[in-house]
Amino acid sequence: MELVTVDDVRSAAARIEGTVVRTPLTAGPAGGPPFLLKPESLQPTGAFKLRGAANAVALLDARQRRRGVVTHSSGNHGQALAYAARAQGVPCTVVVPEGAAKVKVDRMRAWDARVVMAAPAERETVARGLERDEGLELVPPFDDDRVIAGQGTVGLEILEQSPEVTTIVLPVGGGGLASGVATAASAVHPGSVRVVGVEPELAAEAAESLRTGHLAAWPPEQTYRTMADGVRVCLSPRTFAHLSARLDEIVTVTEDEIARAVAALAHGARLVAEPSGALAAAALLAGRVPTVPGRAEATVAVVSGGNLDPELFARLVAGR
C-alpha cells in the first residue's frame, strides 16, 4: 500500500486555505507540566475533521458533485463533511450510529445534511449501501488518502508555528489525524520530532494493534464504555500501515484522567474540549508523556474537538 506523502499534505494545505482556520498555539493549563495546545476546537465545525473533509470535497469531479457525498460518523466528521459540502453546493448524507451525541447530530442537520440512523456496528455497511444504490461518493472518516492528507495540515502548521517543537501529542481513533501529522513530522523534521498517540484504556485497539503487529478490532460493547465517543473506532488497514511506519509511540489514559483534563482545559486554558479532544492533554497532565522543563514550546498537545453535550461538559467541569 502506498502511503500519503508530505507533498500530498502540502497540496491539501493550499487546497483548503480559506475554508479552515489556521488555529493558534496557546498555553497549556496553568500549574501543570509545560506544553502548548493546538485548539482545533476553534474550527467552524468545532473539530479538526473539517480539514480532511474540505480536502476531499475540493477533489470531487463534476459528476460526484451532482450526486453528492455520503459518510458514516459519530459526529465530528459528519459535521465537517456537511459543512464542507454545503459550502460547495454538494448534497451530503451522514449515517450516524444510534446513541451519538445529540449536539453533533443537530449540527449536521443545521448544515443541511440528510441524517440516517444505524446500529453502531452497521453504520459503514449502511453508508456503503447508499454509495452503491444512490451513486454517492463515499468520504470515510479516516480510511481515505484525501482525508489523511487534509488532517496532516495540523502537523504542518505546528511545525511552522513552533520551530522548537520536539513532541506532538494527539488523540487516536481511526488514525487519520495521527497518520497525517506523523507523515508531516517525519518528512519535515525526520528524527527530531516525536509524534505520540493517545487512546482511552477502554478503547485501545490501536495500542493493541501496534503492540502485536496485527490489526485489532474491539466490539462496540467494549469501546462504547469510554466517554470519548469520537475515538470509539478501530484503525483501518490504511491507517494501521501509516502508524506502523511513522507513529513513534502510543499511550493510554483512564476515564478519570480524561475527565480531569476536560476540567483542566476549561479552568486553566479557557478551552471547551470534548473528552476525545482532551486525550492528548490528559496524557501530558497524567505524566504519560514527558515534557521538557521550562520549555513549553517543545511539546504540543492537539485539542482535536470541542463538540459535547452541555450537560456532560457542566458535570465534567464541576468534577462530578
Side-chain angles (χ1 to χ4, degrees):
M1 178 184 297
E2 290 189 12
L3 303 185
V4 169
T5 69
V6 71
D7 287 338
D8 296 324
V9 179
R10 288 182 173 128
S11 294
R15 203 173 286 124
I16 66 178
E17 186 176 3
T19 301
V20 305
V21 172
R22 183 181 173 88
T23 54
L25 294 183
T26 61
F35 62 92
L36 298 178
L37 301 166
K38 177 73 167 168
E40 286 293 293
S41 50
L42 301 180
Q43 292 293 345
T45 58
F48 77 96
K49 292 282 191 176
L50 182 57
R51 296 172 181 269
N55 190 47
V57 172
L59 288 167
L60 296 175
D61 62 29
R63 177 177 174 274
Q64 292 165 335
R65 288 173 183 275
R66 286 194 305 271
R67 294 197 172 187
V69 292
V70 63
T71 195
H72 48 93
S73 169
S74 63
N76 284 338
H77 176 67
Q79 291 179 82
L81 190 62
Y83 182 97
R86 188 178 74 166
Q88 298 195 38
V90 176
C92 177
T93 298
V94 184
V95 179
V96 176
E98 295 164 352
K102 184 176 182 297
V103 64
K104 298 181 180 181
V105 177
D106 288 347
R107 287 174 184 165
M108 291 179 213
R109 291 192 171 110
W111 286 312
D112 299 333
R114 175 178 59 154
V115 174
V116 177
M117 291 290 182
E122 298 297 321
R123 60 183 181 177
E124 182 174 356
T125 300
V126 172
R128 291 194 178 277
L130 291 168
E131 175 191 25
R132 179 188 64 248
D133 298 340
E134 299 184 12
L136 305 180
E137 174 69 11
L138 181 66
V139 180
F142 51 85
D143 187 27
D144 187 286
D145 287 347
R146 300 166 298 182
V147 171
I148 290 171
Q151 318 304 29
T153 62
V154 173
L156 286 184
E157 288 181 14
I158 290 172
L159 296 172
E160 292 167 359
Q161 293 166 317
S162 183
E164 303 301 316
V165 68
T166 57
T167 304
I168 300 173
V169 189
L170 39 67
V172 176
L177 175 63
S179 294
V181 171
T183 294
S186 63
V188 176
H189 293 306
S192 62
V193 177
R194 288 173 51 78
V195 180
V196 179
V198 186
E199 283 187 302
E201 287 184 354
L202 299 183
E205 298 126 305
E208 179 182 333
S209 299
L210 295 172
R211 183 179 67 252
T212 64
H214 301 285
L215 193 58
W218 293 11
E221 57 266 26
Q222 281 188 269
T223 59
Y224 269 57
R225 296 174 300 165
T226 180
M227 72 175 79
D229 62 291
V231 297
R232 292 170 177 164
V233 290
C234 61
L235 303 178
S236 69
R238 186 187 313 274
T239 55
F240 178 56
H242 281 80
L243 298 189
S244 296
R246 294 170 177 168
L247 189 71
D248 293 290
E249 185 182 359
I250 190 164
V251 300
T252 61
V253 291
T254 68
E255 296 299 292
D256 285 345
E257 288 164 348
I258 298 170
R260 287 197 293 270
V262 171
L265 289 170
H267 293 300
R270 304 299 184 265
L271 285 176
V272 175
E274 61 190 275
S276 303
L279 288 174
L284 287 161
L285 292 169
R288 298 283 192 281
V289 181
T291 60
V292 180
R295 291 186 57 211
E297 69 280 3
T299 306
V300 176
V302 178
V303 180
S304 59
N307 296 317
L308 77 165
D309 180 80
E311 292 184 3
L312 174 60
F313 181 63
R315 290 201 305 273
L316 294 175
V317 170
R320 299 198 302 270

